[in-house]
Amino acid sequence: MRDPATSARSALIARYLPDLSPRQRQTLALIARDEHPTVGTYLMREGRPTLDLGVIIEGRLAVRDRIGADDVTLMTLDPGDVFGWSAVLDGISTASIVADQGARVLLFDGVALREAMDAAREAGCDEFFLVPTTADPAELDRTREALGI
């Protein structure tokens, strides 16, 4: 019998990444954390290691960049948006990600995610299985190139 928390995470993954197979959803659900950061909590900081890749489930996150001594909001991210690609690429955040209004996120440990991606590649899967269908084609190409797929 499956753990109810894992099943709930799998259902959320199916909602936001509908093209994944049940096995891929289960793999991701096992390495995901369902978190509700308070307003102002930094999920990532510019120039520091990116530990997690995340999907916004509810609320909003702010993308901030350091300009002088201040963190300036460049844009906001909404439900369904994916953030923290550096966790599977070079590992360093290019911007800060800060919790805003009523945020709820699924966070995937970068190391475990890379291991799952490697296992999928070794099993003959030639596609990066966590790219949402709404991904920017240029970003998708850069991601594939960086991952060697």
Side-chain angles (χ1 to χ4, degrees), residues 46 62-67 71-76 94-96:
E46 179 182 2
V63 177
R64 294 187 180 169
D65 199 5
R66 178 139 325 260
I67 298 177
D71 273 348
V72 177
T73 298
L74 302 175
M75 64 184 287
T76 57
T94 57
S96 294

Side-chain angles (χ1 to χ4, degrees), residues 86-99:
S86 295
V88 294
L89 298 174
D90 65 7
I92 302 298
S93 293
T94 57
S96 294
I97 306 292
V98 182

Side-chain angles (χ1 to χ4, degrees), residues 15-142:
R15 184 169 145 200
Y16 289 97
L17 300 166
D19 296 336
L20 298 180
S21 72
R23 182 177 178 167
Q24 290 167 330
R25 287 194 301 268
Q26 177 67 14
T27 297
L28 291 176
L30 290 170
I31 62 172
R33 297 185 321 276
D34 186 357
E35 296 195 2
H36 301 261
T38 58
V39 172
T41 299
Y42 278 76
L43 298 165
M44 296 170 193
R45 288 197 184 260
E46 179 182 2
R48 294 191 184 165
T50 303
L51 304 177
D52 303 301
L53 182 136
V55 177
I56 302 170
I57 303 302
E58 297 172 0
R60 182 174 286 163
L61 301 179
V63 177
R64 294 187 180 169
D65 199 5
R66 178 139 325 260
I67 298 177
D70 300 317
D71 273 348
V72 177
T73 298
L74 302 175
M75 64 184 287
T76 57
L77 302 174
D78 297 306
D81 287 341
V82 177
F83 63 96
W85 287 103
S86 295
V88 294
L89 298 174
D90 65 7
I92 302 298
S93 293
T94 57
S96 294
I97 306 292
V98 182
D100 204 354
Q101 308 165 345
R104 179 181 181 193
V105 296
L106 278 181
L107 297 174
F108 304 95
D109 177 77
V111 172
L113 185 56
R114 285 190 304 274
E115 289 172 357
M117 291 166 48
D118 289 344
R121 249 192 320 275
E122 288 172 11
C125 296
D126 61 355
E127 193 65 33
F128 176 41
F129 68 82
L130 200 99
V131 176
T133 56
T134 58
D136 171 39
E139 183 172 350
L140 178 55
D141 289 341
R142 286 190 301 274

